Short mmCIF file of all heavy atoms in Angstrom, two decimals:
data_model
loop_
_atom_site.label_atom_id
_atom_site.label_comp_id
_atom_site.label_asym_id
_atom_site.label_seq_id
_atom_site.Cartn_x
_atom_site.Cartn_y
_atom_site.Cartn_z
N CYS A 349 4.20 -9.79 0.02
CA CYS A 349 5.48 -9.13 -0.42
C CYS A 349 6.08 -8.33 0.75
O CYS A 349 5.36 -7.83 1.63
CB CYS A 349 5.20 -8.10 -1.48
SG CYS A 349 4.38 -8.78 -2.91
N GLY A 350 7.39 -8.23 0.71
CA GLY A 350 8.09 -7.35 1.66
C GLY A 350 7.82 -7.61 3.08
O GLY A 350 7.89 -8.74 3.56
N THR A 351 7.45 -6.57 3.77
CA THR A 351 7.16 -6.71 5.22
C THR A 351 6.00 -7.66 5.45
O THR A 351 6.02 -8.44 6.42
CB THR A 351 6.82 -5.29 5.78
OG1 THR A 351 8.08 -4.62 5.95
CG2 THR A 351 6.15 -5.34 7.13
N ALA A 352 4.98 -7.60 4.62
CA ALA A 352 3.85 -8.53 4.80
C ALA A 352 4.26 -9.96 4.65
O ALA A 352 3.79 -10.84 5.30
CB ALA A 352 2.75 -8.19 3.77
N ILE A 395 -1.61 -11.51 2.41
CA ILE A 395 -1.45 -10.47 3.40
C ILE A 395 -1.00 -9.17 2.66
O ILE A 395 -0.04 -9.20 1.89
CB ILE A 395 -0.40 -10.78 4.42
CG1 ILE A 395 -0.66 -12.17 5.08
CG2 ILE A 395 -0.36 -9.72 5.51
CD1 ILE A 395 0.41 -12.63 6.08
N SER A 396 -1.78 -8.10 2.86
CA SER A 396 -1.40 -6.85 2.21
C SER A 396 -1.96 -5.65 2.98
O SER A 396 -3.14 -5.60 3.25
CB SER A 396 -1.96 -6.80 0.81
OG SER A 396 -1.67 -5.58 0.18
N GLN A 397 -1.03 -4.77 3.44
CA GLN A 397 -1.47 -3.60 4.10
C GLN A 397 -2.39 -2.75 3.25
O GLN A 397 -3.53 -2.36 3.60
CB GLN A 397 -0.27 -2.70 4.52
CG GLN A 397 -0.51 -1.54 5.43
CD GLN A 397 -1.14 -0.32 4.75
OE1 GLN A 397 -2.09 0.22 5.17
NE2 GLN A 397 -0.50 0.04 3.58
N SER A 398 -1.92 -2.48 2.01
CA SER A 398 -2.61 -1.58 1.10
C SER A 398 -3.80 -2.24 0.39
O SER A 398 -4.73 -1.57 -0.01
CB SER A 398 -1.65 -1.09 0.01
OG SER A 398 -1.16 -2.17 -0.75
N GLY A 399 -3.75 -3.54 0.24
CA GLY A 399 -4.78 -4.25 -0.50
C GLY A 399 -4.70 -3.98 -2.02
O GLY A 399 -5.59 -4.37 -2.73
N THR A 401 -1.37 -4.25 -3.72
CA THR A 401 -0.09 -4.71 -4.30
C THR A 401 -0.34 -5.64 -5.43
O THR A 401 -0.98 -6.72 -5.29
CB THR A 401 0.72 -5.37 -3.15
OG1 THR A 401 0.92 -4.37 -2.09
CG2 THR A 401 2.05 -5.89 -3.60
N THR A 404 0.71 -9.38 -5.25
CA THR A 404 -0.17 -10.15 -4.33
C THR A 404 -1.50 -10.37 -5.00
O THR A 404 -2.10 -11.46 -4.91
CB THR A 404 -0.34 -9.38 -3.01
OG1 THR A 404 1.01 -9.07 -2.54
CG2 THR A 404 -1.00 -10.28 -1.94
N VAL A 447 6.16 5.18 4.04
CA VAL A 447 6.45 4.04 3.10
C VAL A 447 6.82 2.80 3.87
O VAL A 447 6.43 1.69 3.55
CB VAL A 447 7.47 4.47 2.09
CG1 VAL A 447 8.01 3.25 1.36
CG2 VAL A 447 6.87 5.44 1.13
N ALA A 448 7.61 2.93 4.90
CA ALA A 448 8.05 1.80 5.73
C ALA A 448 6.89 1.33 6.58
O ALA A 448 6.40 2.10 7.40
CB ALA A 448 9.26 2.11 6.52
N SER A 449 6.59 0.08 6.49
CA SER A 449 5.42 -0.42 7.24
C SER A 449 5.84 -0.77 8.69
O SER A 449 6.82 -1.40 8.91
CB SER A 449 4.91 -1.70 6.57
OG SER A 449 3.80 -2.14 7.24
N GLN A 456 -0.67 -7.11 11.23
CA GLN A 456 -0.72 -8.32 10.37
C GLN A 456 -0.39 -9.55 11.23
O GLN A 456 -0.99 -10.63 11.06
CB GLN A 456 0.25 -8.19 9.22
CG GLN A 456 -0.24 -7.26 8.12
CD GLN A 456 0.88 -6.82 7.16
OE1 GLN A 456 2.04 -7.09 7.35
NE2 GLN A 456 0.47 -6.08 6.16
N LEU A 533 15.33 -5.40 6.48
CA LEU A 533 14.52 -4.69 5.43
C LEU A 533 14.29 -3.20 5.87
O LEU A 533 14.47 -2.31 5.04
CB LEU A 533 13.19 -5.39 5.20
CG LEU A 533 12.23 -4.75 4.24
CD1 LEU A 533 12.83 -4.61 2.89
CD2 LEU A 533 10.91 -5.55 4.19
N LYS A 534 13.94 -2.97 7.14
CA LYS A 534 13.66 -1.62 7.59
C LYS A 534 14.97 -0.78 7.41
O LYS A 534 14.89 0.39 6.93
CB LYS A 534 13.23 -1.58 9.03
CG LYS A 534 11.83 -2.06 9.35
CD LYS A 534 10.79 -1.04 9.08
CE LYS A 534 9.94 -1.27 7.89
NZ LYS A 534 9.20 -2.42 7.62
N GLU A 537 15.65 -0.04 3.58
CA GLU A 537 14.78 0.89 2.89
C GLU A 537 14.87 2.31 3.47
O GLU A 537 14.65 3.24 2.71
CB GLU A 537 13.35 0.35 2.83
CG GLU A 537 12.59 0.34 4.15
CD GLU A 537 11.12 -0.12 3.95
OE1 GLU A 537 10.52 0.12 2.81
OE2 GLU A 537 10.52 -0.67 4.90
N LYS A 656 4.64 3.68 -1.48
CA LYS A 656 3.91 2.97 -0.48
C LYS A 656 3.18 1.75 -1.01
O LYS A 656 3.12 0.71 -0.46
CB LYS A 656 2.93 3.93 0.16
CG LYS A 656 2.11 3.35 1.31
CD LYS A 656 2.99 2.96 2.46
CE LYS A 656 2.17 2.35 3.66
NZ LYS A 656 3.14 1.67 4.55
N VAL A 658 2.69 -0.73 -4.20
CA VAL A 658 3.39 -1.11 -5.42
C VAL A 658 2.36 -1.78 -6.32
O VAL A 658 2.15 -3.01 -6.27
CB VAL A 658 4.56 -2.04 -5.08
CG1 VAL A 658 5.34 -2.35 -6.34
CG2 VAL A 658 5.48 -1.39 -4.11
C1 AGP B 1 7.50 -2.22 4.05
O1 AGP B 1 8.26 -1.46 4.81
C2 AGP B 1 7.69 -2.04 2.62
N1 AGP B 1 7.71 -0.66 2.22
C3 AGP B 1 7.12 -3.01 1.65
O2 AGP B 1 7.94 -4.16 1.73
C4 AGP B 1 5.69 -3.53 1.79
O3 AGP B 1 5.49 -4.20 2.95
C5 AGP B 1 5.28 -4.36 0.56
O4 AGP B 1 5.38 -3.56 -0.61
C6 AGP B 1 3.90 -4.95 0.66
O5 AGP B 1 2.90 -3.96 0.68
P1 AGP B 1 1.37 -4.33 1.07
O6 AGP B 1 1.36 -4.80 2.49
O7 AGP B 1 0.65 -3.05 0.93
O8 AGP B 1 0.90 -5.36 0.10
#
Side-chain angles (χ1 to χ4, degrees):
C349 303
T351 284
I395 309 176
S396 176
Q397 188 284 130
S398 62
T401 299
T404 311
V447 164
S449 184
Q456 283 162 358
L533 175 60
K534 286 279 106 56
E537 70 176 332
K656 182 66 180 164
V658 184

